[in-house]
Amino acid sequence: MSDKGLEAAAVRMRAAGMPELFIRVFGEYYRQLEEGSTGLIPEHSIQPVTAVADARGIEPPVSEQAEALRHTVFIKLNGGLGTSMGMDRAKSLLPVRTGPPDGAMLSFLDIIAGQMRHVRSAFGVRMPLIFMDSFRTQRDTLAALAAYPDLVQEGLPLDFVQHQEPKLRVDNLEPVDWPEDPSLEWCPPGHGDIYVSLLDTGLLDTLIERGYRYACTSNADNLGAAPDGRIAAWFAASGAPYAPEVCERTPADRKGGHLARRISDGRIVLRDTAQTPADDMKWFTDETRHPFFHTNNLWFDLRALREVLNEGGGMAGLPLIRNQKTVDPSNPDSPQVYQIECALGAIVERFDGALPVLVDRSRFLPVKTTDDLLLLRSDAYELGEDFQLRLVPQAAPLVELDSRYYKRMADFDARFPHGAPSLREATRLAVTGDWTFGSEVHLRGDVELVARDPQTIADGTVLDAGVEA
């Protein structure tokens, strides 16, 4: 059964133009899947990481920052479609908020471009910005970035496309067929594919040959991860081959991945929710036991990465993540499939001397749900001339929207037709039921809205406490 499934998958990948190196990588993971590997990391096999380097508040000389930036390439992971929010194109095209210079509505891509242009100008250097797109996001992304021709570095691409692989039926491990939409038969293999993609596209060698020494990668939907000369200088001076950024964990971060030290060999490893046995979730979500969470902002030495990949015959050797879904995410009755994935940050265990670094919480502003988006669109944040988002109140309010009415972008926008309410003075907004917000609605303190029937909040309303209708 497995040989048939693997051979069928390889045929499809070759027909789609996938290189033999990636097909070989896929085969290694397929064998692990066939053998029943789940990629789980039990609590008893690890020890918490409780001490890390601290880069908060550092101020290296400007000359050192400029020199480090001059040798750094910034790579944005841009393969996501935002399907969990009801989107069918690159999530980074989603309008986030108005900004400089004319108050126009800006997308993730617009803000990323603004951040890069500002740092280039401030330090007088031209660091490359490169996007790792997927086969579903490349066209729209490049069309949007055409508005910023100055981002292109001569001799370097503005993007590269990560690989694609067949989704596998859970019942027989064969590539799934879905004639209703054949594109859904395919998936990207997770952000960990970046390393093989950099190698087999030749981009890794090109960057090194052109004098770049370091890379910083981050998710395109995390607008906190702007180019930062201070951290770039710290990393260059550290001599570490690899440094993942971490933040102090709070009760709001209990589902975020964390680093741990594997007892069997002392290596630092990354553990995500999907790699945690159900019985161990009480430990995974314990922010006192695992005090730092992984931001997916990574710094690595390009030469050290090439050495690691060459030692593995071109393969990063990252742990398997077995992700079970339906072939059509919008149809729960469609066939169950496995997506073979690996995590970007899992490569930490391949480096001797990996050095996790604690950064300010402002470097972690992901948008995974419409809850996150409402907060960033509100006046709780300000977007500066440098295109950095800054929190106005001392602490960000907690937003909890009823997923029945706000999960999908079309529904979300219909219920906030005039934009986000004022959240600057709020500590919490919890919405249960179907509420439509008028213009210039102002929230203060802990506001909880509960409705059995659809409700509308009038223009100019000030809410100080819970409302039940």
Side-chain angles (χ1 to χ4, degrees):
M1 180 178 68
S2 63
D3 287 342
K4 179 182 177 182
L6 180 55
E7 289 171 6
V11 168
R12 290 195 184 189
M13 286 189 283
R14 289 190 181 98
M18 293 298 101
E20 290 301 316
L21 174 59
F22 175 68
I23 295 173
R24 186 155 53 90
V25 171
F26 178 87
E28 291 291 325
Y29 286 120
Y30 188 99
R31 293 300 185 192
Q32 293 179 38
L33 186 65
E34 175 201 19
E35 293 166 3
S37 175
T38 61
L40 296 178
I41 303 175
E43 187 72 21
H44 66 74
S45 69
I46 57 174
Q47 294 176 329
V49 169
T50 57
V52 297
D54 192 342
R56 296 173 300 176
I58 62 172
E59 287 293 340
V62 172
S63 59
E64 292 182 11
Q65 296 185 45
E67 181 64 14
L69 289 170
R70 188 173 291 112
H71 296 285
T72 301
V73 55
F74 290 86
I75 303 175
K76 292 293 182 179
L77 309 175
N78 188 50
L81 289 178
T83 52
S84 64
M85 297 167 69
M87 299 178 62
D88 60 1
R89 61 179 190 155
K91 183 179 178 182
S92 55
L93 298 174
L94 184 68
V96 179
R97 59 176 300 132
T98 58
D102 56 4
M105 183 62 81
L106 305 177
S107 69
F108 287 96
L109 292 180
D110 294 321
I111 295 174
I112 290 169
Q115 291 174 346
M116 177 62 67
R117 290 164 128 189
H118 173 80
V119 174
R120 282 180 173 182
S121 175
F123 287 93
V125 298
R126 283 186 55 81
M127 321 91 67
L129 173 64
I130 301 176
F131 290 83
M132 184 176 81
D133 291 322
S134 71
F135 62 97
R136 291 179 177 165
T137 63
Q138 183 183 39
R139 179 180 298 179
D140 288 342
T141 295
L142 293 182
L145 291 174
Y148 304 100
D150 56 309
L151 290 181
V152 179
Q153 288 278 68
E154 184 177 354
L156 292 175
L158 189 56
D159 86 323
F160 62 98
V161 180
Q162 67 180 128
H163 300 109
Q164 62 187 79
E165 65 187 20
K167 298 176 183 178
L168 303 173
R169 293 183 61 99
V170 168
D171 56 3
N172 60 13
L173 298 187
E174 294 182 13
V176 69
D177 291 313
W178 193 242
E180 295 180 26
D181 184 353
S183 70
L184 294 178
E185 298 170 0
W186 296 87
C187 64
H191 288 155
D193 180 57
I194 184 176
Y195 308 112
V196 177
S197 292
L198 284 173
L199 184 67
D200 68 32
T201 59
L203 185 53
L204 180 58
D205 287 336
T206 298
L207 289 169
I208 293 172
E209 290 165 4
R210 293 178 67 88
Y212 296 103
R213 180 67 184 271
Y214 313 109
C216 176
T217 66
S218 58
N219 293 349
D221 66 3
N222 176 16
L223 294 175
D228 192 310
R230 295 165 300 180
I231 301 178
W234 170 87
F235 181 61
S238 74
Y242 176 85
E245 295 183 20
V246 299
C247 289
E248 291 180 331
R249 222 168 176 208
T250 69
D253 308 308
R254 288 174 175 170
K255 293 184 179 180
H258 64 82
L259 298 172
R261 194 171 296 279
R262 189 163 51 208
I263 293 174
S264 62
D265 58 8
R267 291 274 183 173
I268 294 177
V269 299
L270 171 65
R271 183 171 70 163
D272 286 317
T273 305
Q275 295 169 290
T276 306
D279 291 344
D280 286 341
M281 283 303 294
K282 61 181 179 294
W283 303 117
F284 180 91
T285 57
D286 186 342
E287 71 274 14
T288 59
R289 180 175 178 84
H290 297 286
F292 307 110
F293 72 87
H294 191 272
T295 65
N296 225 35
N297 307 337
L298 312 177
W299 298 78
F300 51 88
D301 183 304
L302 293 169
R303 298 177 190 173
L305 173 63
R306 186 165 63 179
E307 289 179 8
V308 164
L309 293 175
N310 287 339
E311 288 171 1
M315 295 189 287
L318 307 183
L320 165 74
I321 297 178
R322 189 188 70 182
N323 203 344
Q324 185 169 340
K325 297 187 176 185
T326 55
V327 63
D328 183 345
S330 66
N331 181 358
D333 296 324
S334 60
Q336 291 284 318
V337 295
Y338 288 134
Q339 296 182 190
I340 295 176
E341 300 178 7
C342 54
L344 172 79
I347 202 170
V348 63
E349 64 185 78
R350 296 294 311 279
F351 289 102
D352 293 323
L355 187 62
V357 58
L358 182 62
V359 297
D360 189 83
R361 182 59 182 252
S362 63
R363 287 190 58 78
F364 186 70
L365 293 175
V367 174
K368 302 301 181 186
T369 66
T370 53
D371 298 7
D372 303 324
L373 182 62
L374 184 68
L375 184 57
L376 287 192
R377 283 185 175 179
S378 79
D379 62 356
Y381 282 91
E382 291 181 344
L383 188 67
E385 295 293 325
D386 58 1
F387 289 83
Q388 295 255 22
L389 282 158
R390 292 179 176 84
L391 183 64
V392 176
Q394 186 172 3
L398 178 64
V399 175
E400 301 170 311
L401 303 176
D402 191 327
S403 61
R404 295 175 298 171
Y405 304 101
Y406 301 91
K407 181 178 181 179
R408 299 171 67 85
M409 281 304 304
D411 298 331
F412 173 86
D413 286 336
R415 288 163 174 79
F416 294 101
H418 305 285
S422 172
L423 296 176
R424 186 171 293 189
E425 296 181 87
T427 56
R428 175 173 173 261
L429 169 62
V431 180
T432 301
D434 185 357
W435 295 79
T436 297
F437 288 71
S439 64
E440 300 183 12
V441 175
H442 193 108
L443 283 70
R444 297 191 297 217
D446 188 335
V447 177
E448 184 169 358
L449 306 176
V450 180
R452 297 170 182 82
D453 301 309
Q455 300 290 326
T456 297
I457 299 176
D459 297 350
T461 299
V462 177
L463 296 175
D464 288 295
V467 176
E468 183 169 346

